Amino acid sequence: MNTQQSTPDEDDVAITPETLRTRYESGATVDELVASSRLSYGTVLNRLHEAGTEMRTSWQTRRMRQDPQARQRLAAHLRTLYEQRGATLTELAAVAGDTRRAARRLLIEAGGTVRTTQQTLRMRTATRAAERQKLARSLRARYEAGASVPELAEDCNYSVATVYRLLHQARTPMRPRHRHGPSDGTRKRS
Protein backbone atom coordinates (compact mmCIF):
# COMPACT_ATOMS: atom_id res chain seq x y z
CA MET A 1 0.00 0.00 0.00
CA ASN A 2 1.33 3.40 -0.90
CA THR A 3 1.19 5.88 1.99
CA GLN A 4 2.23 9.02 0.11
CA GLN A 5 0.68 12.26 1.22
CA SER A 6 -1.31 14.11 -1.41
CA THR A 7 0.09 17.36 -2.69
CA PRO A 8 -1.94 20.56 -2.68
CA ASP A 9 -2.38 20.21 -6.46
CA GLU A 10 -4.06 16.83 -6.03
CA ASP A 11 -6.51 18.31 -3.53
CA ASP A 12 -7.62 20.85 -6.13
CA VAL A 13 -8.42 18.21 -8.77
CA ALA A 14 -12.00 16.91 -8.68
CA ILE A 15 -12.13 13.18 -8.06
CA THR A 16 -14.43 12.06 -10.85
CA PRO A 17 -14.91 8.49 -12.07
CA GLU A 18 -13.10 9.45 -15.30
CA THR A 19 -10.12 10.84 -13.36
CA LEU A 20 -9.87 7.64 -11.33
CA ARG A 21 -10.17 5.56 -14.50
CA THR A 22 -7.41 7.52 -16.24
CA ARG A 23 -5.07 7.11 -13.29
CA TYR A 24 -5.95 3.41 -12.94
CA GLU A 25 -5.34 2.75 -16.65
CA SER A 26 -2.01 4.57 -16.34
CA GLY A 27 -0.90 1.90 -13.87
CA ALA A 28 -2.09 3.02 -10.44
CA THR A 29 -3.53 0.33 -8.17
CA VAL A 30 -6.85 0.63 -6.34
CA ASP A 31 -4.95 0.94 -3.04
CA GLU A 32 -2.92 3.85 -4.42
CA LEU A 33 -6.11 5.55 -5.64
CA VAL A 34 -7.68 5.11 -2.19
CA ALA A 35 -4.64 6.67 -0.52
CA SER A 36 -4.39 9.62 -2.90
CA SER A 37 -8.12 10.36 -3.12
CA ARG A 38 -8.97 9.74 0.55
CA LEU A 39 -12.08 7.85 -0.61
CA SER A 40 -13.00 4.44 0.75
CA TYR A 41 -11.94 1.32 -1.12
CA GLY A 42 -15.55 0.52 -2.06
CA THR A 43 -16.19 4.05 -3.33
CA VAL A 44 -13.11 3.93 -5.55
CA LEU A 45 -14.19 0.56 -6.96
CA ASN A 46 -17.73 1.82 -7.56
CA ARG A 47 -16.46 4.91 -9.37
CA LEU A 48 -14.10 2.84 -11.51
CA HIS A 49 -16.96 0.53 -12.49
CA GLU A 50 -19.20 3.54 -13.12
CA ALA A 51 -16.62 4.85 -15.60
CA GLY A 52 -16.57 1.47 -17.39
CA THR A 53 -13.03 0.60 -16.30
CA GLU A 54 -11.69 -2.80 -17.30
CA MET A 55 -10.19 -4.11 -14.06
CA ARG A 56 -6.77 -5.77 -13.98
CA THR A 57 -5.59 -8.68 -11.94
CA SER A 58 -2.59 -8.20 -9.68
CA TRP A 59 -0.32 -10.08 -12.10
CA GLN A 60 -1.42 -7.79 -14.96
CA THR A 61 -0.48 -4.77 -12.84
CA ARG A 62 2.91 -6.29 -12.01
CA ARG A 63 3.57 -7.08 -15.65
CA MET A 64 2.55 -3.56 -16.65
CA ARG A 65 4.92 -2.04 -14.11
CA GLN A 66 7.83 -4.34 -14.88
CA ASP A 67 7.82 -3.46 -18.58
CA PRO A 68 6.14 -0.11 -19.29
CA GLN A 69 6.71 -0.57 -23.04
CA ALA A 70 4.88 -3.94 -23.10
CA ARG A 71 1.47 -2.32 -23.52
CA GLN A 72 2.69 -0.25 -26.46
CA ARG A 73 4.29 -3.28 -28.12
CA LEU A 74 1.14 -5.33 -27.62
CA ALA A 75 -1.02 -2.52 -29.00
CA ALA A 76 1.21 -2.21 -32.09
CA HIS A 77 1.11 -5.98 -32.62
CA LEU A 78 -2.68 -6.03 -32.35
CA ARG A 79 -2.95 -3.16 -34.83
CA THR A 80 -0.80 -5.07 -37.33
CA LEU A 81 -2.96 -8.19 -36.98
CA TYR A 82 -6.11 -6.12 -37.31
CA GLU A 83 -5.13 -4.01 -40.29
CA GLN A 84 -2.93 -6.34 -42.32
CA ARG A 85 -4.42 -9.74 -41.61
CA GLY A 86 -8.06 -8.80 -41.09
CA ALA A 87 -8.31 -10.14 -37.54
CA THR A 88 -11.50 -9.48 -35.59
CA LEU A 89 -11.70 -7.94 -32.12
CA THR A 90 -12.50 -11.40 -30.74
CA GLU A 91 -9.30 -12.77 -32.27
CA LEU A 92 -7.32 -9.82 -30.91
CA ALA A 93 -8.75 -10.45 -27.44
CA ALA A 94 -7.56 -14.06 -27.65
CA VAL A 95 -4.06 -12.91 -28.64
CA ALA A 96 -3.95 -10.33 -25.85
CA GLY A 97 -5.45 -12.68 -23.28
CA ASP A 98 -8.06 -10.09 -22.45
CA THR A 99 -11.58 -8.99 -23.36
CA ARG A 100 -12.78 -7.57 -26.68
CA ARG A 101 -13.24 -4.21 -25.02
CA ALA A 102 -9.63 -4.14 -23.80
CA ALA A 103 -8.38 -5.27 -27.24
CA ARG A 104 -10.40 -2.47 -28.84
CA ARG A 105 -8.89 0.04 -26.43
CA LEU A 106 -5.37 -1.16 -27.23
CA LEU A 107 -6.09 -0.96 -30.95
CA ILE A 108 -7.25 2.64 -30.63
CA GLU A 109 -4.22 3.50 -28.45
CA ALA A 110 -1.97 2.25 -31.26
CA GLY A 111 -3.71 4.60 -33.71
CA GLY A 112 -5.93 1.97 -35.32
CA THR A 113 -9.47 2.58 -36.50
CA VAL A 114 -12.16 0.07 -35.62
CA ARG A 115 -13.91 -1.43 -38.66
CA THR A 116 -17.57 -2.25 -38.99
CA THR A 117 -18.60 -5.88 -39.31
CA GLN A 118 -19.35 -5.34 -43.01
CA GLN A 119 -15.88 -3.91 -43.62
CA THR A 120 -14.31 -6.94 -41.93
CA LEU A 121 -16.42 -9.32 -44.02
CA ARG A 122 -15.44 -7.53 -47.24
CA MET A 123 -11.78 -7.60 -46.25
CA ARG A 124 -11.89 -11.32 -45.48
CA THR A 125 -13.80 -12.08 -48.68
CA ALA A 126 -11.14 -10.27 -50.71
CA THR A 127 -8.40 -12.22 -48.92
CA ARG A 128 -10.13 -15.54 -49.56
CA ALA A 129 -10.64 -14.61 -53.23
CA ALA A 130 -6.93 -13.85 -53.60
CA GLU A 131 -6.02 -17.18 -51.97
CA ARG A 132 -8.47 -18.98 -54.25
CA GLN A 133 -6.93 -17.34 -57.33
CA LYS A 134 -3.48 -18.41 -56.18
CA LEU A 135 -4.73 -21.99 -55.74
CA ALA A 136 -6.38 -21.90 -59.17
CA ARG A 137 -3.11 -20.78 -60.81
CA SER A 138 -1.23 -23.54 -58.98
CA LEU A 139 -3.75 -26.17 -60.14
CA ARG A 140 -3.52 -24.85 -63.70
CA ALA A 141 0.27 -25.20 -63.71
CA ARG A 142 0.05 -28.77 -62.44
CA TYR A 143 -2.74 -29.62 -64.90
CA GLU A 144 -0.75 -28.22 -67.81
CA ALA A 145 2.25 -30.26 -66.63
CA GLY A 146 0.17 -33.42 -67.14
CA ALA A 147 -1.71 -34.09 -63.90
CA SER A 148 -5.30 -35.27 -64.30
CA VAL A 149 -8.25 -33.61 -62.63
CA PRO A 150 -8.94 -36.63 -60.37
CA GLU A 151 -5.28 -36.62 -59.27
CA LEU A 152 -5.46 -32.90 -58.46
CA ALA A 153 -8.71 -33.40 -56.56
CA GLU A 154 -7.19 -36.19 -54.49
CA ASP A 155 -3.99 -34.25 -53.78
CA CYS A 156 -5.86 -31.10 -52.72
CA ASN A 157 -8.67 -32.93 -50.93
CA TYR A 158 -11.28 -31.20 -53.11
CA SER A 159 -14.06 -32.68 -55.17
CA VAL A 160 -13.49 -33.16 -58.90
CA ALA A 161 -16.18 -30.54 -59.57
CA THR A 162 -14.36 -27.98 -57.40
CA VAL A 163 -11.09 -28.63 -59.21
CA TYR A 164 -12.83 -28.18 -62.57
CA ARG A 165 -14.35 -24.90 -61.31
CA LEU A 166 -10.95 -23.64 -60.15
CA LEU A 167 -9.32 -24.61 -63.43
CA HIS A 168 -12.03 -22.74 -65.35
CA GLN A 169 -11.52 -19.69 -63.12
CA ALA A 170 -7.83 -19.79 -64.06
CA ARG A 171 -8.89 -19.93 -67.75
CA THR A 172 -7.15 -23.26 -68.22
CA PRO A 173 -7.37 -24.76 -71.73
CA MET A 174 -8.87 -28.17 -70.99
CA ARG A 175 -7.90 -31.48 -72.53
CA PRO A 176 -10.64 -33.75 -73.84
CA ARG A 177 -12.32 -35.30 -70.79
CA HIS A 178 -12.29 -39.00 -71.61
CA ARG A 179 -8.84 -39.28 -73.06
CA HIS A 180 -6.73 -41.58 -70.91
CA GLY A 181 -2.99 -41.59 -70.87
CA PRO A 182 -0.29 -38.96 -71.23
CA SER A 183 -1.26 -35.57 -72.56
CA ASP A 184 1.90 -34.84 -74.55
CA GLY A 185 0.76 -36.68 -77.71
CA THR A 186 3.09 -39.68 -77.44
CA ARG A 187 0.17 -42.07 -77.83
CA LYS A 188 0.33 -44.20 -80.98
CA ARG A 189 -2.62 -45.06 -83.12
CA SER A 190 -3.12 -48.62 -84.24
Side-chain angles (χ1 to χ4, degrees):
M1 185 184 286
N2 190 351
T3 57
Q4 293 178 342
Q5 296 293 325
S6 62
T7 62
D9 293 336
E10 288 177 344
D11 292 336
D12 296 338
V13 176
I15 303 170
T16 64
E18 289 75 25
T19 304
L20 291 173
R21 177 182 177 171
T22 302
R23 290 172 59 194
Y24 182 79
E25 289 177 350
S26 297
T29 64
V30 175
D31 287 331
E32 290 169 349
L33 294 175
V34 167
S36 65
S37 67
R38 296 189 206 126
L39 297 172
S40 72
Y41 192 89
T43 302
V44 169
L45 280 179
N46 287 339
R47 290 193 181 172
L48 288 172
H49 289 296
E50 180 183 319
T53 307
E54 192 71 39
M55 301 304 287
R56 299 184 301 265
T57 61
S58 58
W59 69 267
Q60 288 171 321
T61 300
R62 281 192 303 274
R63 186 177 71 190
M64 178 186 253
R65 287 183 170 194
Q66 287 173 352
D67 187 3
Q69 303 302 318
R71 184 176 177 93
Q72 291 174 344
R73 285 193 307 271
L74 177 61
H77 176 65
L78 294 181
R79 181 178 178 187
T80 300
L81 292 175
Y82 190 75
E83 292 177 350
Q84 295 177 3
R85 300 199 182 146
T88 62
L89 288 175
T90 302
E91 292 165 346
L92 295 182
V95 169
D98 218 330
T99 63
R100 288 185 55 183
R101 186 177 194 177
R104 182 179 192 275
R105 191 175 302 125
L106 284 168
L107 176 66
I108 292 170
E109 283 177 21
T113 304
V114 179
R115 296 184 302 262
T116 64
T117 304
Q118 288 300 319
Q119 289 170 323
T120 300
L121 289 174
R122 271 182 266 162
M123 183 179 203
R124 286 191 159 193
T125 301
T127 301
R128 280 194 302 269
E131 289 170 0
R132 197 164 175 90
Q133 283 297 325
K134 184 178 176 184
L135 174 63
R137 287 191 300 271
S138 169
L139 289 174
R140 177 182 177 164
R142 290 178 60 198
Y143 180 79
E144 289 176 344
S148 69
V149 172
E151 289 170 353
L152 294 172
E154 187 175 325
D155 290 347
C156 297
N157 202 22
Y158 285 121
S159 70
V160 171
T162 300
V163 171
Y164 271 114
R165 193 175 316 112
L166 289 168
L167 289 171
H168 286 294
Q169 283 178 357
R171 302 194 188 290
T172 307
M174 303 301 291
R175 297 186 294 262
R177 285 193 181 201
H178 297 293
R179 184 174 160 200
H180 299 287
S183 63
D184 61 359
T186 58
R187 222 167 105 163
K188 294 182 182 178
R189 295 185 180 197
S190 40

